[in-house]
Amino acid sequence: MTWVGSRARKGVSVTQLGRGIRKVVTLFEDLASLVRVADDDHLGVDAGGSDIDSTYEEIRIKKRKSVLSKVFQQRSLAAYDELLRLIPNFEKKLTDSSPEELLTFYGQLQRGASDARSEDTFTMKAVVANWLNMSTPVPNPILDPTCRLNRGIQHNTTGRLLCPIDFDWDDEVVRQKLQSGAEDWTSSFLARCFYAGGSGDINNIEKGFLRSLYLVKTFQTLFTSPSSAQHTTHIASDDENTAPTTPAPPRKKSKQPATRTNVATVLCMNGKVTPRAIAYAAVQLHFALTDTPQWTDIHHNFDYQGLYNFIIDFFEDVDGPDAKQFAKNLLGWWNKYVFASPHLVIYNH
């Protein structure tokens, strides 16, 4: 079965169209759930219910649930908008198809989505090990690119990057407590691997957050090209208004026109980094540092869906002009760094 739309090429299968869903739409929600949220919003359905005959405590709990429900709803609606941008004529397919046809349609899209996520997880397992094995000091023991079993909080190199910024990894007593489970590192999403220079300030958690070298390299590997990640070796500044520079790789002259496109172009990102793409890269990076043998939403009590939502909300669920400007500046920093270079390497995904 092929899918032909105004923005689609002939012969592109539904499964192929689904490959971008986990990257730029939603990493964890299923498509039917997104559609239901969009339908409820269109119909004006209120999940909060009535407060009649409720006690004060019941009303307080209900209001708290309502706030969380609204955050979930807004997050899902934003994902649905991304889905409409990614899949041509998606809403027309919804209205023209029978329930049985829609079930098949969702299944094909989600098969492509899961396949792409699995391939990215497999890729990051190797490239993260290779990056760290070339770092100073050299990991001891050396990380196996084919296996994650010797990683995680128990390994000094990966453990340092997984360690939240509110713990001093260099303190041997603290490190032993983290490795033994006496201290909980799994309830924090402020891992050092997301911070510029691999360290952050618990009293100013925004400084350097989502500006780490390894996160940028992960994004480049998954969205532009492994070659662009290879040439990124240093983050020059974590200032929100200053984009670091990447050494331009030597360009080979060719009489043949370029015919391949990078993943970001295929996904119609239009030269703009999105919160969902950053969150996807962050999950893949963090997961590659762990010792889990296979993909899982929760590992050693660390909630990857929680991490994913936390990063999206860091950009989208913000109050006040200062917080909104900070999020805007951070996205601008990413856009300048990832897409502003005229030396972007073309890569076929």
Side-chain angles (χ1 to χ4, degrees):
M1 177 181 181
T2 58
W3 180 260
V4 181
S6 60
R7 290 177 294 144
R9 294 175 298 178
K10 291 184 177 181
V12 176
S13 69
V14 176
T15 301
Q16 287 174 302
L17 282 175
R19 291 181 62 83
I21 290 174
R22 296 296 177 233
K23 294 174 184 286
V24 297
V25 177
T26 177
L27 179 52
F28 294 98
E29 290 187 71
D30 64 86
L31 298 182
S33 295
L34 291 182
V35 172
R36 281 194 297 272
V37 172
D39 286 344
D40 288 347
D41 181 70
H42 179 71
L43 295 173
V45 175
D46 183 7
S50 173
D51 289 337
I52 298 176
D53 299 327
S54 297
T55 66
Y56 173 80
E57 182 64 16
E58 289 172 340
I59 292 174
R60 187 187 67 81
I61 294 174
K62 186 178 294 185
K63 286 184 176 180
R64 172 60 178 166
K65 289 182 177 179
S66 178
V67 170
L68 294 175
S69 177
K70 287 180 180 178
V71 171
F72 168 79
Q73 181 186 43
Q74 292 304 313
R75 194 189 301 124
S76 297
L77 289 174
Y80 184 75
D81 288 341
E82 288 296 311
L83 183 64
L84 297 185
R85 183 186 60 77
L86 181 67
I87 309 296
N89 297 326
F90 181 81
E91 288 191 315
K92 185 176 187 301
K93 180 70 175 179
L94 296 183
T95 57
D96 293 350
S97 302
S98 68
E100 293 77 15
E101 289 172 329
L102 279 181
L103 189 62
T104 300
F105 180 58
Y106 290 156
Q108 291 172 326
L109 287 174
Q110 295 197 160
R111 188 181 310 119
S114 296
D115 287 347
R117 190 265 301 150
S118 296
E119 291 169 16
D120 286 343
T121 303
F122 180 81
T123 296
M124 294 311 303
K125 176 175 61 176
V127 298
V128 166
N130 290 333
W131 294 339
L132 295 178
N133 286 338
M134 292 186 292
S135 66
T136 302
V138 176
N140 183 24
I142 288 289
L143 299 172
D144 183 352
T146 68
C147 179
R148 285 186 296 267
L149 293 181
N150 64 336
R151 307 181 192 184
I153 199 71
Q154 301 300 327
H155 192 288
N156 190 57
T157 300
T158 55
R160 177 186 295 275
L161 293 170
L162 292 171
C163 176
I165 61 171
D166 44 334
F167 291 105
D168 182 4
W169 183 260
D170 291 322
D171 186 317
E172 184 176 356
V173 174
V174 172
R175 185 168 64 251
Q176 289 177 352
K177 287 183 177 180
L178 289 168
Q179 292 176 329
S180 67
E183 292 281 6
D184 176 26
W185 62 274
T186 62
S187 59
S188 173
F189 300 136
L190 304 176
R192 293 174 182 271
C193 62
F194 302 139
Y195 279 85
S199 63
D201 182 356
I202 194 59
N203 296 312
N204 184 11
I205 63 173
E206 294 177 341
K207 181 175 176 58
F209 186 52
L210 302 180
R211 293 188 178 93
S212 79
L213 171 65
Y214 291 126
L215 183 56
V216 170
K217 287 168 73 69
T218 297
F219 188 98
Q220 291 173 318
T221 299
L222 300 177
F223 288 94
T224 58
S225 74
S227 297
S228 62
Q230 180 182 354
H231 289 279
T232 301
T233 58
H234 179 62
I235 296 294
S237 171
D238 67 349
D239 185 275
E240 63 187 39
N241 297 313
T242 304
T245 56
T246 303
R251 305 182 68 184
K252 296 181 180 180
K253 294 182 178 180
S254 173
K255 297 180 180 180
Q256 298 296 327
T259 58
R260 295 176 294 172
T261 54
N262 60 63
V263 176
T265 301
V266 171
L267 299 181
C268 305
M269 295 180 72
N270 300 322
K272 294 181 179 180
V273 177
T274 68
R276 280 163 178 72
I278 296 174
Y280 178 80
V283 170
Q284 290 286 5
L285 170 60
H286 193 283
F287 192 82
L289 294 169
T290 70
D291 58 357
T292 178
Q294 60 188 11
W295 177 261
T296 179
D297 294 357
I298 297 177
H299 177 62
H300 291 331
N301 295 322
F302 188 89
D303 183 358
Y304 281 102
Q305 185 169 8
L307 170 63
Y308 181 77
N309 291 337
F310 175 78
I311 293 177
I312 291 175
D313 293 345
F314 186 82
F315 290 98
E316 298 181 354
D317 185 30
V318 291
D319 295 321
D322 291 343
K324 291 179 180 179
Q325 187 62 47
F326 182 89
K328 181 179 179 181
N329 288 345
L330 181 54
L331 281 177
W333 183 91
W334 273 89
N335 288 329
K336 290 178 182 178
Y337 190 81
V338 175
F339 290 122
S341 172
H343 304 286
L344 184 64
V345 179
I346 296 176
Y347 173 65
N348 184 36
H349 182 71

